[in-house]
Amino acid sequence: KNEVEQSPQNLTAQEGEFITINCSYSVGISALHWLQQHPGGGIVSLFMLSSGKKKHGRLIATINIQEKHSSLHITASHPRDSAVYICAASGGGADGLTFGKGTHLIIQP
Amino acid sequence: DVKVTQSSRYLVKRTGEKVFLECVQDMDHENMFWYRQDPGLGLRLIYFSYDVKMKEKGDIPEGYSVSREKKERFSLILESASTNQTSMYLCASSAAEAFFGQGTRLTVV
């Protein structure tokens, strides 16, 4: 069974700072997902990665398959980025995702 | 716009009641999942289904059952609700990428 570890658990930063959230997993995967959950809100899928790097606006996700590691970066962070960010590993079958416990990010104005 | 819709955002039920949580997706996905989310434990898989009338236990199926009579609908059933089932319940469907419902916050009193 895959183990997914995220760090840090909690992160508080000032508006404008560059943010990095890390995710590591223990066994090979078919895809790595980054998800965002705002307080009281549902979960939104930000990225699905199987290799390399993806960018969407101020968000960048990278994955290193050999090292079993992925990072989510936020450039020019803004208070509206405050949310829980969750990484999840998919083995590619129908048995769902294995989730990290999430990183609670607070961006202060 | 793709959608996974859960029937309720908030529910309050009494101990011993039978509870139905409904999830509908409009993406013609074969795979559907029910998770619960608890502080400090993250998201854990309760049940999943990879086809109509097919179901598989996840990591924490005790106290739950599911029904998948139609491809687009996956129901989670609490046969006799207990206070330890107070949680956020999330439905997801997937092909390659996962899509999530908005969550149902269930309180059992």
Side-chain angles (χ1 to χ4, degrees):
Chain A
K1 186 171 166 61
N2 216 340
E3 302 287 332
V4 177
E5 299 286 338
Q6 270 186 253
S7 62
Q9 275 192 305
N10 298 283
L11 178 57
T12 300
Q14 296 297 312
E15 184 173 356
E17 285 190 43
F18 182 80
I19 303 299
T20 296
I21 299 170
N22 295 301
C23 176
S24 60
Y25 51 94
S26 58
V27 299
I29 60 171
S30 64
L32 191 289
H33 299 253
W34 281 102
L35 312 168
Q36 180 192 56
Q37 185 177 31
H38 280 105
I43 287 184
V44 173
S45 178
L46 297 174
F47 295 104
M48 184 185 70
L49 289 165
S50 53
S51 65
K53 177 177 165 178
K54 285 190 176 179
K55 185 175 189 291
H56 181 69
R58 295 178 296 104
L59 300 177
I60 303 164
T62 64
I63 189 167
N64 184 318
I65 298 295
Q66 287 73 30
E67 294 186 4
K68 296 186 178 61
H69 180 269
S70 177
S71 293
L72 177 69
H73 305 285
I74 306 174
T75 62
S77 59
H78 189 276
R80 65 174 174 267
D81 297 325
S82 298
V84 175
Y85 292 85
I86 303 167
C87 71
S90 170
D95 56 351
L97 302 165
T98 303
F99 294 87
K101 290 193 167 51
T103 295
H104 187 198
L105 174 66
I106 297 173
I107 305 297
Q108 295 177 335
Chain B
D1 201 18
V2 296
K3 275 222 166 55
V4 177
T5 304
Q6 293 181 229
S7 51
S8 305
R9 282 297 301 272
Y10 301 95
L11 274 179
V12 180
K13 295 292 182 181
R14 294 196 181 277
T15 300
E17 276 194 74
K18 190 169 186 175
V19 181
F20 292 85
L21 302 182
E22 306 284 347
C23 176
V24 177
Q25 51 99 0
D26 64 1
M27 294 165 281
D28 201 37
H29 286 165
E30 291 180 344
N31 303 325
M32 295 188 74
F33 310 89
W34 275 106
Y35 299 91
R36 64 178 281 177
Q37 185 183 35
D38 300 290
L41 296 175
L43 282 149
R44 294 177 292 166
L45 181 64
I46 305 171
Y47 265 97
F48 66 96
S49 168
Y50 53 88
D51 203 352
V52 175
K53 297 193 186 293
M54 304 302 290
K55 59 187 179 185
E56 294 287 341
K57 293 180 180 179
D59 298 318
I60 50 164
E62 296 77 19
Y64 303 95
S65 62
V66 290
S67 172
R68 185 126 181 244
E69 295 297 317
K70 293 184 178 180
K71 192 175 187 180
E72 67 269 20
R73 186 181 296 270
F74 191 35
S75 302
L76 181 69
I77 304 157
L78 286 65
E79 296 289 344
S80 177
S82 64
T83 54
N84 64 11
Q85 293 177 310
T86 291
S87 186
M88 168 73 88
Y89 289 88
L90 282 160
C91 173
S93 74
S94 74
E97 191 169 355
F99 295 87
F100 290 85
Q102 75 276 27
T104 297
R105 189 165 292 282
L106 173 67
T107 303
V108 182
V109 297

